[in-house]
Amino acid sequence: MSRPKSDNFTLSLIGTLVAASLLPCRGAAAATVDDLTNVAIALLFFLHGAELSREAVIAAASHWRLHVLVLLITFVVFPLFGLAFKPLLSPLVTPTLYAGILFLCTLPSTVQSSIAFTAMAKGNVPAAVCSASASSITGIFVTPLVVSLVLSSHVGMGSGWRTVGEIVLQLLVPFVCGQLLRPLIGGWIQRNESIVSGVDQGSILLIVYSAFSEALGEGLWRQVPPSALAGLLVADGVLLAAALITTALVSKWLGFEHADRVTIVFCGSKKSLSQGIIIAKVIFASHAVGAAILPLMIFHQIQLMVCAALAKRWGRRAERFPSRASADAKSLLPH
């Protein structure tokens, strides 16, 4: 898997945030952007399915130690961070916003950007596909249970089968189709790696634009005092830093290879905005959904910006110094 070749990818993310702030998509335009995002994500999985050899996918699926570690960090360690940091971070925000932070900690990993960043950083992409997808499906059932444990009150869990169907249609079906068509188009895609790189970039930029536009459209920023918004930025930054450091150090301590450590960092440190919004609508009352997803929206923007910068740096280092690919895991942390 290749990373996007553009050296301006991080600047593109910043430009997308500015564009969403100045020209947010509304009404029919927002629906069009959502449709384009869904198409881009499906296309991304189709291309990854066509590019990955079946042997690599089977081998990645059997990489159980990596997948178990990612699931434990996602659904156990992250919620423990939220509870442990509460005395430190809750004074920075309102009680309802910190409930949203705890909800954020219970969510599954994002799928498309975890794979894209892993590819950019020259990590184990087949393992990222399996691990992030497993996290996404597991979260449908585990997240409501963990929410009931970390929050004092919550609404009935409702049915998650509709979400399962959406995940299957949007992610797994395109991937399987790509695998089935690999004998016909796999060679062409490998000769045109820029196509996969372009879809990687495009899907991330569309997600950023759509999510930020939706936040502005719902007027969520106006419901939060500036001091609480600043505190929320700090709280989300602390959670992301804790997750990045933990995944890097624990994966090294357990003896994973460099490519696997990169995969663990990206799959274990990130949270899914799209799935989080769907789950919030199921388990929270309608009037509480906005506060529940605001910390997630901000965390989503921070994780994309930080992980894009890290992925570019690691990918460039892997291309420039391939012999250092197995360097100490401390190099995974920003200086």
Side-chain angles (χ1 to χ4, degrees), residues 65-89:
R65 289 178 65 245
L66 184 149
H67 305 320
V68 169
L69 178 58
V70 169
L71 291 176
L72 286 175
I73 292 172
T74 301
F75 297 113
V76 178
V77 176
F78 239 114
L80 291 178
F81 280 156
L83 295 174
F85 292 154
K86 186 175 182 179
L88 174 66
L89 300 180

Side-chain angles (χ1 to χ4, degrees), residues 51 75 98 100 135 221 226 298:
E51 188 174 30
F75 297 113
Y98 203 81
S135 175
W221 307 138
I298 295 179

Side-chain angles (χ1 to χ4, degrees), residues 220-234:
L220 290 176
W221 307 138
R222 295 191 296 270
Q223 302 174 16
V224 180
S227 59
L229 182 58
L232 191 54
L233 288 169
V234 173

Side-chain angles (χ1 to χ4, degrees), residues 120-252:
M120 291 168 63
K122 306 300 183 183
N124 188 338
V125 176
V129 172
C130 295
S131 187
S133 299
S135 175
S136 183
I137 295 175
T138 301
I140 298 169
F141 308 100
V142 174
T143 291
L145 175 61
V146 181
V147 168
S148 69
L149 295 176
V150 301
L151 292 176
S152 58
S153 63
H154 64 285
V155 180
M157 296 179 186
S159 174
W161 289 113
R162 182 182 65 180
T163 306
V164 173
E166 290 176 353
I167 292 173
V168 169
L169 288 175
Q170 189 175 17
L171 306 181
L172 298 183
V173 169
F175 182 83
V176 172
C177 289
Q179 280 281 291
L180 294 176
L181 293 177
R182 172 179 165 77
L184 298 177
I185 64 175
W188 181 84
I189 291 178
Q190 288 180 345
R191 292 190 300 270
N192 296 271
E193 292 183 350
S194 60
I195 294 178
V196 179
S197 297
V199 175
D200 284 346
Q201 289 191 67
S203 61
I204 294 172
L205 294 177
L206 278 173
I207 292 166
V208 170
Y209 181 72
S210 176
F212 211 73
S213 294
E214 184 176 353
L216 292 174
E218 301 221 353
L220 290 176
W221 307 138
R222 295 191 296 270
Q223 302 174 16
V224 180
S227 59
L229 182 58
L232 191 54
L233 288 169
V234 173
D236 281 348
V238 168
L239 283 173
L240 179 59
L244 289 171
I245 293 171
T246 299
T247 50
L249 295 181
V250 171
S251 60
K252 178 199 174 183

Side-chain angles (χ1 to χ4, degrees), residues 28-66:
T32 300
V33 171
D34 287 339
D35 291 339
L36 289 175
T37 301
N38 292 334
V39 170
I41 293 171
L43 180 59
L44 172 63
F45 272 76
F46 175 82
L47 293 175
H48 279 301
E51 188 174 30
L52 293 176
S53 68
R54 202 156 303 168
E55 294 77 10
V57 174
I58 295 174
S62 65
H63 203 346
W64 64 268
R65 289 178 65 245
L66 184 149

